[in-house]
Amino acid sequence: MTSVVVFDYGFGNVRSMVRALANLDLDVTLTSDYRQSLEADGLVVPGVGAFAACMEGLHKVRGDRVVTDRLRLGRPVLGVCVGEQVMFQHGSEHGVPAAGLGLIGGTVGPLDADVVPHMGWDTVEAPENSTLLDGLDGARFYFVHSYAAAEATPLGPDAAPVDFGDAPQHVGWCTYGRSRFVASYERGPLFATQFHPEKSAEAGARLLRNWVGIL
């Protein structure tokens, strides 16, 4: 049976993610154990809260090392919401700048909109050759966030802790207010979504099935 760890570092709606994955007949474990997280077929990094606090939580349980070690071994990782944001180089939330994991070039900043947070259902523009959004171009997903990345740059081994080689990046986009932001990201074994697939009904279940299909 395919094994997936939902990484438990104190930030995220972990129970809803565990249920969504369990509904796909997977062996799902909620843990922060390094070895178990490293060796599972798939690792999900959820996240709810402030960027800097989530990074601090990851560091405390070696979550940063788990993610980078898995990616170096070519083992898939899926970041969700702030779990996507921490994959970027930098974040600035509530006036607190913090370094991210540095796997994606770019900075997470505040949305430019009349009403924040961006909360509710919205459409995502899927990139070509997307694994996550295969069959889901224009689908609606559930968002809850006030910050996002406005760009995503593929980093080389001189700038990132992981060498992705010549793997192309695939970026999905969403527009809210005056902001066009990264809604999904894929490069090699790294996958991430700003929205919550575990709360996105059938579209979210389809996305998770797409991801599980490559494990």
Side-chain angles (χ1 to χ4, degrees):
M1 180 179 289
T2 300
S3 61
V4 175
V5 162
V6 176
F7 197 68
D8 186 10
Y9 64 107
F11 296 85
N13 295 322
V14 291
R15 298 297 175 184
S16 56
M17 179 60 78
V18 168
R19 286 194 299 270
L21 292 167
N23 287 338
L24 302 180
D25 295 324
L26 303 170
D27 177 12
V28 185
T29 303
L30 176 63
T31 185
S32 60
D33 180 78
Y34 171 84
R35 182 58 55 184
Q36 206 168 354
S37 301
L38 179 68
E39 295 179 350
D41 295 315
L43 176 70
V44 176
V45 181
V48 171
F51 186 104
C54 286
M55 281 302 303
E56 182 180 358
L58 278 173
H59 287 307
K60 283 182 178 178
V61 291
R62 297 195 296 170
D64 52 333
R65 181 179 164 192
V66 168
V67 170
T68 55
D69 285 354
R70 280 188 63 91
L71 294 174
R72 288 179 183 133
L73 294 169
R75 297 175 180 171
V77 174
L78 173 63
V80 172
C81 197
V82 183
E84 179 209 60
Q85 295 178 6
V86 296
M87 303 299 174
F88 285 84
Q89 291 172 302
H90 305 285
S92 181
E93 190 163 346
H94 305 308
V96 180
L101 296 179
L103 298 162
I104 309 170
T107 298
V108 175
L111 292 171
D112 182 8
D114 295 333
V115 177
V116 290
H118 175 206
M119 181 181 297
W121 297 81
D122 216 330
T123 56
V124 173
E125 175 189 339
E128 292 185 2
N129 302 314
S130 170
T131 295
L132 289 181
L133 295 169
D134 182 34
L136 291 167
D137 190 20
R140 293 169 63 82
F141 295 93
Y142 189 77
F143 291 84
V144 182
H145 64 118
S146 300
Y147 297 80
E151 62 178 354
T153 303
L155 299 176
D158 56 332
V162 174
D163 183 0
F164 291 100
D166 59 358
Q169 69 173 17
H170 304 284
V171 183
W173 298 93
C174 182
T175 299
Y176 178 70
R178 291 165 293 277
S179 292
R180 185 172 186 261
F181 62 87
V182 177
S184 67
Y185 186 89
E186 305 168 46
R187 189 182 185 197
L190 175 60
F191 300 84
T193 65
Q194 177 61 67
F195 53 85
H196 289 271
E198 78 280 11
K199 295 183 177 182
S200 297
E202 180 51 38
R206 170 68 182 270
L207 182 145
L208 291 174
R209 288 195 298 270
N210 287 345
W211 181 67
V212 168
I214 57 94
L215 302 183

